[in-house]
Amino acid sequence: MYDVLIVDDEPVARQSLRYLIDWEELGFTVKGEAQDGQQALDMLRDDRYALVLTDIRMPVVNGLEMAAAMQEFTDTPVVILSGYDDFAYAREGLRLGVKEYLLKPVDEEDLIALLKKLAAGMREQQLLEKRQRLGLSAGRDQLLRRWVHGQIAPRELEEQLRLLGLRADEERYACLLLELDYIADGEMPDRDTELMRFAIRNIAEELTNGCGYVFEESEERIGVLLGGPASGMGPDDCRRWGERLLSSAVKYAKAPVTVGIGGSVGSAADIKQSWSESEEALDGKFLSGTGTVLLPHGKSEAGDGEPDTLRALEAEVLEMARSCRRAETIRALGRLWECIRVEQVPESRAKMSVLELFIQLFRMMKEQGASHDRLFAPSLGDYDRIMRIKTMDELLRFTEGKCVDVVEAMQRTKEVRPNKIVAEVKRIVLEQYGGPISLREVAATIYMNPNYLGKLFKANTDQSFNDYVLQVRMEKAKELLLHTDKKVYEIAQEVGFSELDWFYKRFKAYTGVSTGDYRNAR
């Protein structure tokens, strides 16, 4: 949330502005009020504000004098609100860095539009500043990823945590995993996707401040490691954390997310278990749909009366499928069904077995890089279909068909070599860089899992998919600037940028010079 300071010598005007709009819906909160410029300056020196809205004509220190004084110690943006339609005031305000000049009485729609514009600019500036920081944030994220994946020795973990100012002395820990559902549709521009991911991460960091750490697991996923006393880390506590993250993302970032919850563990060394459970929980999204909080799928404990043979046969089906042995998978499934009949397993337990089997098949496909969108997606309605099935024979046929499809998809993936995959990705990018293009869309085209494809591409090219797309677009833009007389906006559109300002910024960041200077150097 961005904190706002309202400055006006009329109490009624301040109250009117405070209640004119739903500030929180736009990402702002009115944190303070001042009756003149001097009081506002004192408040700005004592506290941080993201935005100042001020009248011009006030006693003691007026709005323009205040804006001038602010330049000495803060870059907080200022918006002038005045009943005096005087161009001289507006011109002086612009010279002092005032962002906007609105007339009283303030129109609700004008103010909302202005705040949306300012919020977008603030998010972009925060993102740029974050990129420019030293490698502390990236190093912190890398350490947290290694920690939750169990890829760091205890002695090294202790040393790295101390260097980064982190701690690992809580009674209990639990992992939460957020998946950014809005990336799945592939319709949001890369710039908006990046800004939205940044906004959601900020929300997660605000909510977990002092009781957890946030890190980026991948372009689509954000991890949260919670820590605290045992009394506050039970299953219901963790679920409530997930619900707060989900509702805050929807409310403040207007972005749908799905949250997977891992169970709490008693030591830093066991965090990998909680992380695995959060991943497993999130993998149930294809059954439950998006925008939900998911708990780990419970497994029956030994000694609960369930036949050991049933558990062993379930594992055998998965092993045969993992080995891409089609006929053996079908036979293993037949043996499982025969056991279900002989042991008179209840219908509800048989259906639960199928649901858990599907989740494990889904995880298996992701791990091996096979495309799963056509086999596992909420839109397919597999959960409802399984629940509606009336006979065991029908349930077997449906399960058998899914298993065979999974085996065949994984077999196709194994037959394709990594260098051939990378070459195909590059070919698609070179053909489609002029329009919207996403890793998910490319992955679907070549029948691969997008997360796996992203890792494979980076491992074989030493750059991410998005960096490669940017490189292709920038190199083509350079070529067009040097060898054609096309307008810059035409070139921007031709290389896939719908917003000219964003193209200018990316081009200068990539080349170190503006488009004009680059063209003039030819």
Side-chain angles (χ1 to χ4, degrees):
M1 299 296 287
Y2 298 114
D3 293 334
V4 177
L5 174 61
I6 297 176
V7 189
D8 198 304
D9 60 325
E10 298 180 8
V12 174
R14 296 198 301 270
Q15 290 299 305
S16 175
L17 195 57
R18 177 186 281 270
Y19 297 111
L20 178 64
I21 60 173
D22 186 342
W23 291 89
E24 290 194 357
E25 184 179 358
L26 299 168
F28 294 85
T29 181
V30 178
K31 184 179 180 181
E33 297 180 11
Q35 62 185 8
D36 58 59
Q38 185 57 57
Q39 184 183 12
L41 289 171
D42 293 340
M43 294 173 69
L44 287 163
R45 287 189 177 95
D46 293 339
D47 209 343
R48 291 180 60 86
Y49 291 87
L51 178 64
V52 174
L53 279 78
T54 180
D55 191 12
I56 290 183
R57 298 200 176 187
M58 297 179 294
V60 188
V61 173
N62 68 35
L64 295 182
E65 291 170 339
M66 181 194 70
M70 285 174 59
Q71 290 186 321
E72 298 177 3
F73 65 91
T74 180
D75 58 357
T76 300
V78 177
V79 173
I80 293 289
L81 307 173
S82 176
Y84 299 90
D85 187 4
D86 189 332
F87 179 72
Y89 281 127
R91 183 173 57 190
E92 177 66 11
L94 293 174
R95 187 183 69 79
L96 295 171
V98 171
K99 288 290 184 182
E100 194 70 48
Y101 183 94
L102 296 180
L103 293 178
K104 289 183 177 180
V106 177
D107 181 78
E108 178 181 350
E109 293 183 0
D110 288 345
L111 181 57
I112 289 174
L114 172 61
L115 291 174
K116 286 182 177 179
K117 174 183 174 182
L118 291 174
M122 290 174 184
R123 287 194 298 269
E124 185 172 330
Q125 183 61 33
Q126 286 177 323
L127 180 58
L128 293 174
E129 289 174 356
K130 196 160 191 172
R131 285 175 175 163
Q132 293 168 359
R133 292 176 189 166
L134 297 175
L136 179 62
S137 179
R140 178 183 171 124
D141 276 19
Q142 183 181 32
L143 173 63
L144 290 168
R145 281 194 296 270
R146 292 177 64 198
W147 188 4
V148 301
H149 284 281
Q151 298 171 347
I152 186 168
R155 181 174 296 179
E156 182 187 357
L157 173 62
E158 182 180 349
E159 179 182 348
Q160 292 294 323
L161 288 172
R162 187 172 61 254
L163 288 173
L164 292 172
L166 308 182
R167 49 184 291 187
D169 55 358
E170 303 289 358
E171 289 184 23
R172 304 289 295 180
Y173 295 92
C175 293
L176 280 63
L177 185 56
L178 284 72
E179 185 154 273
L180 313 181
D181 298 330
Y182 64 88
I183 293 182
D185 57 26
E187 296 177 358
M188 185 177 288
D190 291 343
R191 173 196 184 187
D192 294 340
T193 296
E194 196 168 5
L195 289 171
M196 191 71 76
R197 182 169 60 247
F198 177 72
I200 292 175
R201 174 168 181 161
N202 275 353
I203 290 169
E205 288 175 340
E206 286 184 12
L207 289 176
T208 57
N209 185 30
C211 56
Y213 305 121
V214 178
F215 60 95
E216 289 190 13
E217 165 70 2
S218 66
E219 290 186 350
E220 298 182 8
R221 291 184 167 188
I222 294 174
V224 177
L225 174 59
L226 296 175
S231 59
M233 296 292 292
D236 289 340
D237 300 302
C238 294
R239 176 180 52 78
R240 282 192 288 270
W241 268 106
E243 291 171 349
R244 288 178 63 194
L245 285 167
L246 187 151
S247 61
S248 296
V250 173
K251 181 176 181 180
Y252 300 123
K254 304 297 186 292
V257 300
T258 299
V259 184
I261 308 292
S264 67
V265 294
S267 72
D270 294 331
I271 285 174
K272 180 183 178 181
Q273 175 187 334
S274 180
W275 180 256
S276 296
E277 290 178 355
S278 71
E279 289 183 307
E280 181 181 349
L282 195 55
D283 285 337
K285 187 174 83 169
F286 79 90
L287 289 172
S288 66
T290 60
T292 54
V293 175
L294 302 171
L295 301 175
H297 298 275
K299 296 287 197 307
S300 300
E301 299 294 334
D304 64 357
E306 186 172 280
D308 292 339
T309 306
L310 184 64
R311 301 287 299 281
L313 288 172
E314 290 172 348
E316 183 183 357
V317 173
L318 287 171
E319 184 57 35
M320 295 300 102
R322 185 183 298 277
S323 303
C324 296
R325 296 155 69 178
R326 185 179 188 276
E328 285 86 345
T329 300
I330 294 174
R331 284 195 284 271
L333 200 55
R335 289 192 290 272
L336 172 61
W337 242 249
E338 183 61 25
C339 178
I340 288 173
R341 289 192 179 95
V342 170
E343 298 292 343
Q344 297 183 343
V345 174
E347 176 187 339
S348 60
R349 174 61 185 89
K351 289 183 176 180
M352 183 58 66
S353 178
V354 171
L355 291 173
E356 292 184 356
L357 175 65
F358 280 16
I359 291 172
Q360 295 303 320
L361 291 171
F362 174 77
R363 290 172 60 83
M364 189 186 302
M365 292 188 74
K366 290 207 306 180
E367 290 168 0
Q368 298 194 19
S371 175
H372 50 70
D373 289 346
R374 289 178 172 81
L375 294 178
F376 298 105
S379 59
L380 296 176
D382 283 348
Y383 179 87
D384 290 338
R385 181 171 178 181
I386 290 170
M387 293 298 105
R388 289 197 305 267
I389 287 176
K390 299 299 184 183
T391 68
M392 291 300 294
D393 286 341
E394 184 183 355
L395 185 61
L396 172 61
R397 288 194 298 272
F398 178 64
T399 307
E400 183 179 289
K402 185 74 73 173
C403 288
V404 169
D405 288 342
V406 168
V407 169
E408 292 176 350
M410 291 197 300
Q411 185 62 48
R412 286 195 300 269
T413 301
K414 285 186 175 181
E415 292 170 355
V416 182
R417 292 191 298 243
N419 59 343
K420 185 176 180 181
I421 294 172
V422 171
E424 180 65 9
V425 171
K426 289 185 173 181
R427 182 192 67 78
I428 294 172
V429 171
L430 289 171
E431 287 181 356
Q432 301 180 12
Y433 69 86
I437 184 171
S438 69
L439 179 61
R440 181 174 291 276
E441 291 171 336
V442 173
T445 301
I446 59 178
Y447 303 101
M448 290 195 70
N449 169 256
N451 290 331
Y452 180 86
L453 178 59
K455 293 176 182 177
L456 183 114
F457 187 88
K458 187 167 187 177
N460 285 269
T461 63
D462 291 326
Q463 65 181 154
S464 69
F465 172 81
N466 286 340
D467 286 344
Y468 177 70
V469 173
L470 178 65
Q471 174 186 313
V472 170
R473 287 171 167 170
M474 292 296 102
E475 291 301 322
K476 183 62 177 178
K478 287 164 61 177
E479 179 184 332
L480 292 171
L481 284 167
L482 290 179
H483 302 297
T484 74
D485 292 324
K486 291 183 177 181
K487 304 292 186 184
V488 175
Y489 75 85
E490 293 176 319
I491 293 174
Q493 291 179 346
E494 189 169 330
V495 299
F497 285 84
S498 58
E499 298 180 46
L500 185 57
D501 287 347
W502 187 236
F503 171 73
Y504 279 135
K505 290 178 182 178
R506 298 312 295 265
F507 187 88
K508 187 166 185 178
Y510 183 83
T511 64
V513 297
S514 67
T515 54
D517 289 343
Y518 190 85
R519 170 167 270 173
N520 291 335
R522 63 182 175 179

